[in-house]
Structure formats: structure tokens, C-alpha cells
Amino acid sequence: MSPEMATGHREKAFELLQADAAKILKLIEVQMENLTMPQCPLYEEVLDTQMFGLSREIDFAVRLNLVDEEDGKGLLESLERQLTALHEASMRK
């Protein structure tokens, strides 16, 4: 595989992970707006399941050398910060 092709695969892998993180954020936003409060066990279950799935995707991409481990951690941490801010905002309502 050429270096250009490898770089393209790495960029695509990270874009896909970012898209999955955005989907999780949107799912939780919709859930908080329409369905349940953050203290609800269903909310916690959905959040835990989605975050676990994303972390496994990131681990897989790291093992394939498609995503740098630090970039993967950064993506998870960024999503966690966004979800925390969303949770705090919903608690102020």
C-alpha cells in the first residue's frame, strides 16, 4: 500500500469515528430532550452502551494502525466533555 493510500485510510477511519461520536451526541441530545432525564436507568444504559461501542471501535482502529492512540483517546475525551456539558445544561432547566 502506498503512503498516500495509507494516509487516506487513516483519515477515513478517523472521520468515521468522529461521525459515530457525533451520532452518539445527537442520540443523547434527543433522548434528553424528548424521552428521559439523565438520572433514568435507561439513559445511563444507552449512554454506557454507546460509549463502550465507540471505545471498542477506536481500539480496533488503533490496533490496525489506522488511528493514533492519543487521537482516539482525545476523541473519547471530547465526546465525554460534550456529554457532560449537555447533562449539566439539562440539569439547569
Side-chain angles (χ1 to χ4, degrees), residues 10-89:
R10 287 187 194 101
E11 288 172 358
K12 182 66 174 173
F14 197 70
E15 287 171 6
L16 290 170
L17 291 171
Q18 288 175 314
D20 285 349
K23 286 178 192 173
I24 292 170
L25 184 60
K26 185 65 177 170
L27 173 71
I28 297 303
E29 284 176 343
V30 168
Q31 186 178 7
M32 289 176 77
E33 289 172 5
N34 300 308
L35 303 174
T36 58
M37 292 301 294
Q39 299 86 357
C40 176
L42 177 60
Y43 166 85
E44 291 293 331
E45 184 71 24
V46 169
L47 182 58
D48 289 347
T49 301
Q50 294 295 316
M51 292 299 288
F52 177 76
L54 181 61
S55 72
R56 299 310 307 149
E57 285 182 58
I58 290 170
D59 287 345
F60 184 68
V62 167
R63 288 196 329 257
L64 288 175
N65 218 15
L66 292 172
V67 173
D68 181 71
E69 188 172 358
E70 290 304 311
D71 291 339
K73 285 181 184 178
L75 182 59
L76 272 180
E77 289 168 0
S78 173
L79 179 57
E80 288 171 352
R81 282 192 302 273
Q82 292 175 71
L83 290 168
T84 297
L86 187 62
H87 176 73
E88 290 171 355

